[in-house]
Amino acid sequence: MPTRAGWRRGGGCGQTGGVSDLDAFEPLRGRLTGLAYRMLGSRADADDMVQDAFLRWSTADRAAVEHAEAYLVRVVTRLCLDRLKSAQARREVYVGPWLPEPVLDAEALSPARHTELADDLSFALLLALDRLSPSERAAFLLHDVFDAPFSEIAATLDKSEAACRQLAARARKAVREARPAPAPMPEHERLLAAFAQAAISGDLTALKTVLAEDAVLLSDGGGRKVAALNPIRGADNIARFIASIVRKLGETKAQTGAQVARVNGAPALMLYLNGELDQVQMIAAENGRIGALYLVRNPEKLMALH
C-alpha cells in the first residue's frame, strides 16, 4: 500500500518527533469511525476497521507518511472495501430487510468538514449509500462528505481521477434521487410525537393521517426477532401493521415502556419490553408526513444502545 499522502484540506495531524502512536491517532478516531460506519452501516464493524487501522499505523514507516489523516483515511477505506465483499455474502442470506445499526453518538462520528452531508447519519442516507457499488460509495463519501481531493481518492481506489469523478457523480445522482431532503427538526419531532400517540391508541385513522400515502415500513429482526419479512407499503397497510403490534402487546400483558432518544442524529423511539430494549423506531419525514418507518429489532444491532 502506498504511504505517501498529500491531503492538505482541513486539519489532521502529521507525525512529529516524540508523538506517540496513540497521541497522533486519537484525534482522528471519530472521523475514521464515521467514515467506516457510513461505508458499512455497522458500528461494530466500523470499530473493528478503525482498530485494524491503528495496528497498521503503529507499525507504519512514519518517515514515509506525509500526512497522518490522509494515510489513515486511505487505510480505513481499503479495509472497508475488503469487508464489504464478505458483507455482501452475508447479506444474501440475511432474513428480512437489512437496516443499519443505530448509533447514539452521531456527533462523535462527524467528519469535521463543512459539507452538505457532513452531519447526516440518517437511515435514509445510509440506505441510499447501501444501494451503491463499493467504489461509488467510497468515492462519494470521500469527496462529498469528507471533502477529500480526487487526487487522493484516485490513489485510495487505484483508479484515475477521471474515473473517480464519474463514480462520485453517479453516486451523487443516485443519493439525491433516493434520499428525501431532511425535514426541519421541529417537524421531525412533531411527526414522531403524533405517530407515537396514534400508535399507542391504536387509532387507525390517526395513523393513516400522519403517514404519506406511499409510505414504506422496513422492519429488521435479522431472523432473531419477529419482524416483517418484506417491506410494508402504503399508509393503510402500515397503520394496520402497527395497530396489530400494539394489540398483540396488550394481549401479552408485558410491561412496556418507551422513551425518545437522539438516534443517528434525530429523535427516535426506543421501546422496552419487561425492562429490556426491544426495538428502535425511526422515521423519515417527507412533505409534512412520514415517508418511511424503520424498525430495528435485531438484538445484535441494539447491544450498544443498552
Side-chain angles (χ1 to χ4, degrees):
M1 176 186 298
T3 54
R4 296 298 291 179
W7 186 359
R8 291 187 173 86
R9 292 190 187 185
C13 54
Q15 176 67 20
T16 57
V19 178
S20 72
D21 293 335
L22 189 59
D23 288 340
F25 184 89
E26 200 60 32
L28 301 173
R29 182 182 295 276
R31 275 170 278 177
L32 296 173
T33 306
L35 170 61
Y37 175 71
R38 288 169 173 85
M39 283 286 292
L40 302 173
S42 166
R43 178 59 188 269
D45 286 348
D47 288 338
D48 288 344
M49 297 302 95
V50 173
Q51 181 60 25
D52 286 350
F54 175 73
L55 294 176
R56 298 192 182 200
W57 170 249
S58 64
T59 59
D61 177 8
R62 217 57 60 79
V65 178
E66 182 180 340
H67 195 272
E69 181 177 4
Y71 171 84
L72 288 166
V73 163
R74 188 181 302 182
V75 170
V76 168
T77 301
R78 291 182 173 180
L79 288 170
C80 288
L81 289 172
D82 288 340
R83 178 60 67 91
L84 282 172
K85 296 176 184 177
S86 60
Q88 183 60 40
R90 295 197 305 271
R91 196 75 60 80
E92 290 175 357
V93 296
Y94 197 82
V95 179
W98 176 91
L99 289 174
E101 179 183 340
V103 294
L104 294 174
D105 54 343
E107 292 183 2
L109 305 182
S110 168
R113 299 280 188 253
H114 299 294
T115 63
E116 178 186 355
L117 299 174
D119 298 323
D120 190 351
L121 268 185
S122 66
F123 270 29
L125 174 61
L126 293 173
L127 289 173
L129 293 173
D130 191 60
R131 299 185 187 102
L132 305 175
S133 72
S135 294
E136 287 174 338
R137 195 181 315 183
F140 173 78
L141 286 172
L142 290 174
H143 185 264
D144 285 45
V145 180
F146 288 79
D147 203 25
F150 278 111
S151 58
E152 179 60 29
I153 298 171
T156 299
L157 300 182
D158 289 328
K159 299 180 184 294
S160 68
E161 288 190 41
C164 291
R165 290 180 187 275
Q166 290 179 344
L167 287 170
R170 285 202 304 268
R172 191 177 304 117
K173 181 176 183 294
V175 167
R176 285 175 177 169
E177 291 174 351
R179 164 187 168 268
M185 197 58 66
E187 180 180 339
H188 187 107
E189 293 171 342
R190 177 186 66 79
L191 287 170
L192 183 69
F195 167 76
Q197 182 175 358
I200 291 172
S201 67
D203 187 334
L204 286 174
T205 300
L207 279 168
K208 287 189 283 187
T209 298
V210 79
L211 294 166
E213 283 299 319
D214 59 349
V216 60
L217 181 149
L218 299 174
S219 180
D220 181 349
R224 299 172 179 269
K225 287 285 188 74
V226 176
L229 295 179
N230 296 294
I232 300 175
R233 302 184 184 278
D236 185 67
N237 291 331
I238 293 173
R240 294 181 185 280
F241 177 77
I242 295 295
S244 70
I245 292 177
V246 173
R247 184 175 63 254
K248 289 175 182 177
L249 284 176
E251 293 171 354
T252 64
K253 306 299 183 181
Q255 292 184 345
T256 60
Q259 70 178 72
V260 176
R262 201 171 184 85
V263 180
N264 284 66
L269 293 174
M270 300 179 69
L271 304 183
Y272 295 82
L273 288 181
N274 297 321
E276 293 291 330
L277 180 62
D278 177 75
Q279 62 183 275
V280 174
Q281 297 184 355
M282 284 163 282
I283 66 170
E286 189 174 357
N287 298 323
R289 292 191 176 187
I290 294 174
L293 273 165
Y294 311 109
L295 279 57
V296 180
R297 295 199 72 204
N298 187 338
E300 290 186 351
K301 296 183 179 182
L302 300 179
M303 288 178 62
L305 300 187
H306 285 284

